Amino acid sequence: MKKKYQFNMASDGQKVFRILLDCLANSGRITDLTEYIEKFPKDGDWYALAATLLDGEVTYYANGSEETKQDIEFLTGACFVEIDKADFVFLQEYAQPDGMVPKLKCGTFESPHDSATVVIKAGDEADIEVIFHGVGVPPEGRKMMVSKRELDWIQKRNLIEWEYPCGIDLIFLRNDGTLFAVSRKAGI
């Protein structure tokens, strides 16, 4: 029997989940997902994260092609919804933060977990130096290079001053197979 993908939902999913936890606990730390991305024939970056994060009990929004949405739904059992109701949001490079950030679920004090995690394909060259501060970052900060698009998303998210524990987490996927995350209480 020939499989459509080589990603093992149990063992590979656990490894990717550990990578994501490490990234969210250490905002701005760059990690490589290439090994898991290559286990899918196309859009492996989205699929590796979708296979890890989604299941039949969560909702998602994706602005990719209809085929990609159907593949994610088939792969995970998650239900596609509009962006303002989604637990997980998958966005292509062209997505702009201006109109999207205010629509995202940010949780409540009673249910802070009812917030969105946003996965963004970055695409641009990282050529702007920033210093991250906040939860999971050394006291002196963490220096790194980001792209204009990544910077825009982080800044737009930070403009909405949600009171902790409310907020959204950002995960940026880069063309070279790396990713980094910015937790809800970390920023530049």
Side-chain angles (χ1 to χ4, degrees), residues 7-21:
F7 189 87
N8 182 297
M9 298 292 273
S11 63
D12 290 335
Q14 287 177 354
K15 291 172 187 169
V16 172
F17 187 72
R18 286 187 193 115
I19 289 170
L20 287 173
L21 284 179

Side-chain angles (χ1 to χ4, degrees), residues 5-174:
Y5 53 86
Q6 301 303 313
F7 189 87
N8 182 297
M9 298 292 273
S11 63
D12 290 335
Q14 287 177 354
K15 291 172 187 169
V16 172
F17 187 72
R18 286 187 193 115
I19 289 170
L20 287 173
L21 284 179
D22 183 62
C23 284
L24 284 165
N26 298 283
S27 293
R29 181 184 289 173
I30 297 176
T31 307
D32 191 358
L33 269 189
T34 307
E35 173 184 349
Y36 306 101
I37 291 170
E38 292 173 347
K39 295 186 178 200
F40 291 95
K42 62 181 172 102
D43 290 324
D45 46 9
W46 268 17
Y47 291 159
L49 293 179
T52 301
L53 296 171
L54 305 181
D55 62 26
E57 296 182 14
V58 298
T59 57
Y60 79 98
Y61 172 85
N63 68 346
S65 69
E66 282 304 313
E67 180 186 3
T68 300
K69 292 175 197 173
Q70 291 171 358
D71 285 349
I72 289 174
E73 208 160 319
F74 178 77
L75 178 67
T76 65
C79 182
F80 179 84
V81 295
E82 291 303 315
I83 193 168
D84 60 333
K85 294 175 178 51
D87 299 315
F88 295 91
V89 177
F90 294 83
L91 299 173
Q92 296 283 358
E93 292 98 349
Y94 56 81
Q96 297 299 316
D98 292 330
M100 292 187 166
V101 170
K103 294 179 183 177
L104 298 168
K105 293 185 346 177
C106 66
T108 64
F109 291 118
E110 297 81 25
S111 301
H113 58 278
D114 191 25
S115 62
T117 297
V118 184
V119 177
I120 305 158
K121 286 190 177 186
D124 297 343
E125 181 182 340
D127 56 358
I128 302 168
E129 184 176 289
V130 297
I131 299 175
F132 281 95
H133 296 282
V135 177
V137 179
E140 67 276 6
R142 178 172 287 124
K143 234 185 241 192
M144 73 173 290
M145 301 298 282
V146 298
S147 70
K148 171 84 170 93
R149 177 169 288 112
E150 293 164 345
L151 183 61
D152 286 347
W153 272 95
I154 295 165
Q155 288 177 330
K156 294 291 187 227
R157 193 240 7 217
N158 290 349
L159 283 177
I160 300 176
E161 294 185 15
W162 292 297
E163 191 173 337
Y164 188 78
C166 298
I168 61 171
D169 297 317
L170 301 173
I171 300 170
F172 294 97
L173 295 166
R174 292 182 167 173

